[in-house]
Amino acid sequence: MRLWAATIGVAGSLVGGLAAQEMPDSMTHRPVFTEGHPIGWTFGPPHLDLNAGLLLRGADGGPAVREGFFRFHLQFALGSSRLVSASDVIFLPGVGATPIFSTVLQLQPIRPGSRLFLAAGLGLTTGHGGSADRLTGLIQGVAAVRLPVHEVGLFVQLNRPVRRGEGRELLVGVAHPIAPYRHRVF
């Protein structure tokens, strides 16, 4: 009985701490797939999201993959709100322990404050070299709807490695911002 009471007490402390978030004026939370304010910066402040969903990879020359994923998505402006850098670390627990890394230079045609997010870009990725895992060119397109509920977003992302014989990837998922949140646990 003491274990249950201790567990409930710790869980209550954590939930209470997360509810009492500290957000200074310079670090207000923003919706998913956003970047820090670009004016006056060469590299804007980074914005970090946690994503989860389903990854579907075609079987063009390799094994087809249909697995759940979670990833960390980092995005920051490059002096303009239309030109951003987006980097991902994707974990596929059902496939193995090695994450897939990618970084993409993206253009955003829609204003950053919109509920709809669209971006397309070129970059590099790992995880597409068969037994020899090396960097591969990547073409990427992202569409997301930012929900008014706790800054959560629903997204669809299409990745196309430029290496011959590699299949397209489709990621369908949910995103939630992690930073620039500041949490006080105790």
Side-chain angles (χ1 to χ4, degrees):
M1 189 66 169
R2 287 183 178 162
L3 179 60
W4 282 102
T7 303
I8 290 171
V10 169
S13 296
L14 289 174
V15 169
L18 291 175
Q21 295 174 6
E22 218 181 272
M23 290 181 290
D25 291 339
S26 64
M27 296 291 280
T28 58
H29 63 95
R30 299 171 62 124
V32 294
F33 293 101
T34 58
E35 62 286 333
H37 189 63
I39 305 303
W41 295 89
T42 302
F43 301 101
H47 189 86
L48 182 64
D49 299 333
L50 177 63
N51 307 162
L54 182 66
L55 180 137
L56 306 166
R57 184 183 292 166
D60 298 351
V65 175
R66 174 173 279 178
E67 287 293 331
F69 74 89
F70 69 94
R71 77 174 180 180
F72 294 101
H73 176 83
L74 178 71
Q75 190 164 316
F76 58 90
L78 297 172
S80 162
S81 61
R82 302 284 186 213
L83 184 63
V84 299
S85 174
S87 299
D88 296 325
V89 179
I90 301 173
F91 296 91
L92 297 168
V95 175
T98 305
I100 299 170
F101 297 95
S102 67
T103 186
V104 178
L105 184 61
Q106 295 179 332
L107 289 174
Q108 298 181 54
I110 297 178
R111 66 181 177 81
S114 171
R115 288 272 178 218
L116 179 64
F117 171 81
L118 296 174
L122 300 171
L124 297 170
T125 186
T126 64
H128 293 276
S131 61
D133 195 12
R134 59 182 188 223
L135 287 175
T136 300
L138 179 69
I139 301 169
Q140 184 180 86
V142 181
V145 176
R146 298 170 175 138
L147 303 177
V149 179
H150 203 301
E151 313 303 340
V152 172
L154 305 175
F155 72 93
V156 175
Q157 178 174 311
L158 181 63
N159 295 333
R160 177 67 171 126
V162 295
R163 179 177 292 176
R164 187 184 323 213
E166 289 294 326
R168 292 181 187 95
E169 288 179 346
L170 179 66
L171 287 81
V172 178
V174 177
H176 185 278
I178 296 177
Y181 275 84
R182 287 191 177 182
H183 298 284
R184 179 183 295 184
V185 178
F186 298 104

